[in-house]
């Protein structure tokens, strides 16, 4: 997806914010500097690129919250030792926007380099357990104006498959999944945000469709959440959230489903705010696995998971491609990135590891396909590093399908699956 009218990076103004007209917006550059004179690969806080002209297209916008103040988030992104950055940060009190990284460069915001390669990251000042106290109307409105502008410029669809949260980004390796962030968390009002984007999410309705979209009513469907430090937990005050809980069986007292990364001992999921095991979120879509009375099972993380789904209450008919393991396969691997096969790399560029996560998809299960494409990897080192083929996009023959897998996205090899429709 190349945009012919985009000027090359060299021709663009270096210190002008990329924002819609009328939005309070300024540019304050993130650090781009080496951090260890003896190590040319030690640098922060982002990678230079020329997206999308260099072939690395911008497909997603990732929504975050800072977990610290606006000023300290900006200061962190201006310290090369932090190693992290975002394209934009938005202030809670009035919606002021600070851009730190140009959209054509790759910010280090998602904790997953493949998603960084293909996304823009927007941080919102806030602390997710405090939710709505930080997520002000001024901030929602500024963010929505910015996202509309960016989506139009880069032809990013205004849907939940492409406007996603940090908590939906998968880990790159089995060991990395448990540490993935879960912002902006349960108190981000996706339905309101998509209203402001001019692309309202569907409203709840009854359907026999094979795909459903999660659409609880933010202020009405109150779900329990707890905040814990170690084993000391407190119940968070009842308030609107984007959460629907998933159970192992179709009844309210059945255990919550437990994710193997967070519960390697097989124990159930919990209502801890940090435990995303059993949470489906507003705007996410899944394939129906079964129905029992007013309960509906969806395929979720390699198992059926049940949600309390009274008619017209928390789900709407969804749509999309249906993906299932090819006949003859008992289970297929699941990945956290769409990196190329080793043979796609020239000898000058070290290959990014292709590592299956600890999940599999057993035969017979069906997941929603989000995107399909060739595997790719943007090789970038510090600009002046003595690295051959620095800033090169490697594209493989391997094709992957991005799926709505559990609380997070995942990838399966196109060779492993059939697309049912
Ligand atoms: Zn984040």
């Amino acid at each position: 997806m190349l945009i012919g009218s985009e000027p090359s990076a060299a021709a663009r103004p270096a210190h002008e914010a990329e924002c819609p007209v009328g939005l309070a917006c300024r540019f304050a550059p993130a650090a781009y500097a080496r951090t260890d004179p003896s190590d040319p690969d030690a640098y922060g806080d982002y990678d230079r690129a020329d997206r999308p002209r260099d072939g690395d297209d911008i497909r997603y916008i990732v929504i975050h919250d800072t977990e610290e103040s606006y000023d300290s988030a900006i200061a962190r992104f201006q310290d090369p030792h932090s190693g992290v950055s975002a394209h934009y940060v938005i202030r809670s009190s009035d919606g002021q926007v600070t851009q730190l990284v140009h959209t054509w460069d790759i910010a280090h915001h998602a904790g997953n380099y493949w998603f960084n390669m293909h996304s823009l990251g927007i941080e919102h000042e806030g602390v997710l357990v405090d939710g709505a106290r930080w997520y002000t109307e001024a901030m929602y409105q500024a963010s929505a104006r910015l996202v509309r502008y960016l989506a139009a410029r880069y032809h990013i669809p205004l849907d939940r498959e492409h406007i996603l949260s940090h908590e939906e980004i998968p880990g790159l390796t089995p060991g990395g999944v448990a540490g993935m962030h879960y912002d902006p968390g349960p108190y981000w009002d996706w339905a309101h945000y998509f209203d402001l984007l001019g692309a309202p999410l569907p409203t709840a309705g009854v359907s026999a469709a094979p795909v459903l979209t999660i659409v609880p009513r933010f202020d009405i469907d109150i779900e329990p959440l707890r905040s814990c430090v170690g084993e000391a937990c407190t119940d968070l005050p009842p308030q609107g959230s984007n959460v629907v809980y998933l159970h192992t069986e179709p009844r309210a007292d059945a255990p919550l489903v437990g994710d193997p990364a967070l519960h390697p001992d097989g124990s159930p999921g919990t209502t801890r705010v940090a435990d995303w095991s059993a949470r489906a979120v507003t705007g996410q879509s899944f394939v129906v696995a079964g129905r029992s009375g007013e309960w509906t099972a969806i395929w979720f993380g390699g198992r059926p998971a049940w949600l309390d789904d009274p008619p017209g209450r928390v789900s709407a008919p969804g749509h999309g491609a249906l993906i299932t393991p090819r006949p003859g396969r008992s289970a297929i691997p699941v990945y956290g990135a769409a990196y190329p096969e080793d043979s796609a790399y020239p000898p000058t560029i070290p290959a990014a590891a292709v590592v299956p996560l600890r999940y599999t998809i057993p035969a017979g299960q069906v997941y929603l396909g989000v995107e399909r494409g060739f595997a790719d990897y943007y090789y970038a080192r510090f600009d002046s590093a003595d690295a051959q083929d620095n800033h090169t996009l490697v594209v493989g023959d391997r094709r992957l399908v991005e799926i709505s897998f559990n609380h997070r996205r995942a990838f399966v090899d196109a060779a492993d699956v059939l697309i049912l429709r």
Side-chain angles (χ1 to χ4, degrees), residues 62-67 76 109-111 122-123 128 165-167 169 181-184:
V62 180
I63 303 301
H64 301 260
D65 83 88
T66 55
E67 298 298 302
R76 197 154 57 96
H109 62 95
I122 303 178
E123 289 277 0
L128 67 88
S165 59
H166 194 183
E167 64 196 288
I169 306 289
H181 291 193
Y182 48 94
D183 59 303

